[in-house]
Amino acid sequence: MVYKVGDEELEAIRKVVNSYKFDRYIDGDKSVTSLVERDFAKKIGSKYCLAVSSGTAALICGLAGMEVGPGDEVILPSYTYIATALAVLAVGAIPVIVEIDESLTISPQDVRNKITPKTKAIIPVHMRGLPCNMSEIMSIAQEHKILVIEDVAQACGGSYKGIKLGAFGDAGMFSFNHYKIISCGEGGALVTNNLKLYQRAIIQHHGGWIYEVDAPNLQIESFAGWNFRLSEISSAMLSVQLSRLDNILGQLRAEKNLLLERMRYVSNTLQASHIHDIKGDCASNVFFLMESSEQAKKFVKRANELNIDVWCAHTKGHVYSDWEPILEQRGAHHTLRDVFQINKDPNLYHPNMCPNSLDILSRTIGISTRVDRSPNTLNEMINMLIKITKEVE
Ligand SMILES: *Cc1c(COP(=O)(O)O)cnc(C)c1O
């Protein structure tokens, strides 16, 4: 959800429109897009950043940059937006779906269970602003010599043990669509410290071409790519949004802290979900784990009756059991490009393949934080939540 947008974005867009320069390559490394890339890389603490047209594009460029392709398996969690799995299919690899744990992020234990000799990469997803257990994931990856691409689409600006999310893996991807913490309408970014990966990603995103400005010491040959460029108009909006990020996160974290503080000891029925790094959480949502799904349903129903926006964590489209084209193994627009036709395995997926995830999600309720709620409104909301907690006990 876009939290804040104002005249500054309009002014930045107006400047680009008046310049008649909409393509990032007209002005070389002086383009707005290049500027945003440098700012973003600095913010995350990565050497390189490539701005692209969507988060899905960033994932595809990252996977292409890592030379992931046919014959490879890529591990990803049961709880993420379908695009994480679609990007894996787009490069011709097979998505391997693993359980989440009570932190709502990928279960390191189940990652270990699902590693095979074909596993080429893991995509930990920092879902709903929550940092994954990156210590565990990076040590598994090192142990098995597997690449890591972090999906930070929903957790821009979050961190784990003081390091920004996106800076742990071989690459990190971000999305700036309407629903993310900062937005430029549609857009995405890839960050990495690996020059070769970065250059392959540039080629993938720009039709197979690479400009000297992006690659003063090009180390690779070109190949046929696609077009995932970000326009200067979008970059203009993104640059202003980026300047708002710290402030947005500060406000979300203040709301979350107050909510957690007051709700923490209300009842055993309502346990705050485990967070791997509470300081690094983006705090865009607050989650509670309940004893049963009936209790969770009752809580959500009662809260919604009182006009409080509480929701069950099992939201449509974000759980593997909803990913129809994947569960039914229609992996591409053409059978000869469909990895499921090439690698036939009818037992690859099943709607109940991750029972722990379905159980945890059905018992987890979420409350979204906001930047525009007055202290009074927040207090009243918390009072009502406490009342509801006692009702459903
Ligand atoms: C939004 C999102 C994406 C895809 O981003 P788009 O910009 O919509 O392509 C990927 N992964 C997750 C977890 C997301 O939330």
Side-chain angles (χ1 to χ4, degrees):
M1 186 188 80
V2 199
Y3 290 94
K4 278 186 189 170
V5 65
D7 288 343
E8 293 88 343
E9 278 85 351
L10 284 175
E11 199 40 53
I13 292 167
R14 184 192 306 276
K15 252 195 189 155
V16 171
V17 171
N18 287 339
S19 77
Y20 273 83
K21 292 174 184 168
F22 304 125
D23 179 335
R24 65 166 299 171
Y25 287 115
I26 296 171
D27 265 350
D29 63 354
K30 294 189 181 54
S31 65
V32 184
T33 307
S34 290
L35 204 79
V36 173
E37 287 175 342
R38 287 197 290 273
D39 280 354
F40 199 74
K42 204 165 141 204
K43 181 127 222 141
I44 304 303
S46 295
K47 259 196 198 152
Y48 310 107
C49 170
L50 177 68
V52 292
S53 51
S54 73
T56 309
L59 276 170
I60 293 172
C61 291
L63 292 165
M66 293 170 163
E67 302 182 65
V68 173
D72 296 331
E73 293 176 356
V74 178
I75 288 177
L76 51 93
S78 58
Y79 189 42
T80 178
Y81 179 52
I82 188 171
T84 315
L86 297 181
V88 173
L89 288 172
V91 298
I94 292 188
V96 173
I97 302 170
V98 312
E99 295 270 21
I100 55 159
D101 59 26
E102 293 183 353
S103 71
L104 304 183
T105 62
I106 194 163
S107 155
Q109 186 52 51
D110 205 36
V111 170
R112 284 184 194 279
N113 296 340
K114 304 273 167 68
I115 288 176
T116 76
K118 289 183 177 172
T119 309
K120 176 98 179 234
I122 310 175
I123 313 183
V125 179
H126 307 293
M127 194 59 178
R128 303 210 182 276
L130 302 161
C132 296
N133 185 345
M134 288 315 291
S135 307
E136 275 287 315
I137 288 158
M138 293 315 292
S139 72
I140 295 171
Q142 273 149 22
E143 206 177 298
H144 294 269
K145 300 200 169 34
I146 297 168
L147 297 163
V148 174
I149 173 166
E150 296 174 71
D151 182 332
V152 204
Q154 300 193 7
C156 187
S159 62
Y160 175 81
K161 297 193 175 166
I163 295 168
K164 283 278 190 320
L165 302 177
F168 284 90
D170 298 274
M173 70 65 76
F174 296 80
S175 163
F176 307 116
N177 82 19
H178 172 89
Y179 302 97
K180 315 303 187 196
I181 295 173
I182 55 172
S183 174
C184 60
E186 299 281 359
L190 182 77
V191 297
T192 181
N193 291 327
N194 180 328
L195 180 62
K196 198 171 152 206
L197 193 160
Y198 170 61
Q199 292 180 341
R200 285 181 62 87
I202 294 174
I203 291 169
Q204 184 69 59
H205 111 294
H206 187 46
W209 191 247
I210 191 161
Y211 278 91
E212 194 54 26
V213 54
D214 281 325
N217 46 4
L218 189 61
Q219 297 176 355
I220 50 166
E221 291 179 321
S222 71
F223 54 88
W226 287 314
N227 167 20
F228 293 140
R229 288 187 307 270
L230 189 66
S231 106
E232 288 281 278
I233 301 175
S234 305
S235 293
M237 175 156 173
L238 185 57
S239 72
V240 179
Q241 284 278 294
L242 190 56
S243 72
R244 298 186 191 274
L245 178 61
D246 290 342
N247 188 271
I248 291 170
L249 292 178
Q251 284 180 268
L252 296 179
R253 284 169 176 160
E255 265 215 352
K256 182 194 80 173
N257 289 342
L258 192 73
L259 231 148
L260 279 182
E261 222 167 86
R262 289 202 47 208
M263 308 265 313
R264 184 156 284 159
Y265 301 109
V266 172
S267 156
N268 281 336
T269 331
L270 203 63
Q271 296 288 338
S273 293
H274 175 72
I275 302 175
H276 291 299
D277 182 336
I278 197 152
K279 281 205 203 105
D281 174 18
C282 293
S284 36
N285 305 282
V286 183
F287 290 103
F288 296 96
L289 183 65
M290 308 199 75
E291 279 159 12
S292 71
S293 59
E294 286 70 35
Q295 258 174 348
K297 271 198 205 112
K298 230 164 110 185
F299 196 106
V300 169
K301 185 164 173 276
R302 190 72 191 108
N304 293 352
E305 280 166 7
L306 297 168
N307 274 324
I308 308 174
D309 189 17
V310 177
W311 35 275
C312 175
H314 188 137
T315 47
K316 188 120 191 78
H318 292 103
V319 187
Y320 76 97
S321 49
D322 288 344
W323 303 343
E324 193 183 299
I326 292 168
L327 291 193
E328 296 179 10
Q329 300 202 22
R330 290 188 295 275
H333 71 289
H334 191 292
T335 46
L336 295 180
R337 281 229 153 182
D338 182 351
V339 66
F340 296 134
Q341 295 300 318
I342 300 155
N343 256 310
K344 285 202 170 145
D345 177 2
N347 300 319
L348 197 53
Y349 308 113
H350 187 273
N352 287 318
M353 65 189 287
C354 294
N356 293 347
S357 305
L358 297 178
D359 171 55
I360 290 163
L361 288 169
S362 75
R363 291 190 289 121
T364 302
I365 59 163
I367 302 163
S368 298
T369 50
R370 302 177 62 114
V371 296
D372 57 357
R373 219 165 353 217
S374 72
N376 255 348
T377 316
L378 181 62
N379 254 322
E380 274 169 31
M381 185 180 94
I382 296 173
N383 289 342
M384 288 209 269
L385 290 172
I386 291 172
K387 221 179 100 205
I388 300 168
T389 307
K390 290 181 175 148
E391 278 177 30
V392 302
E393 229 166 3

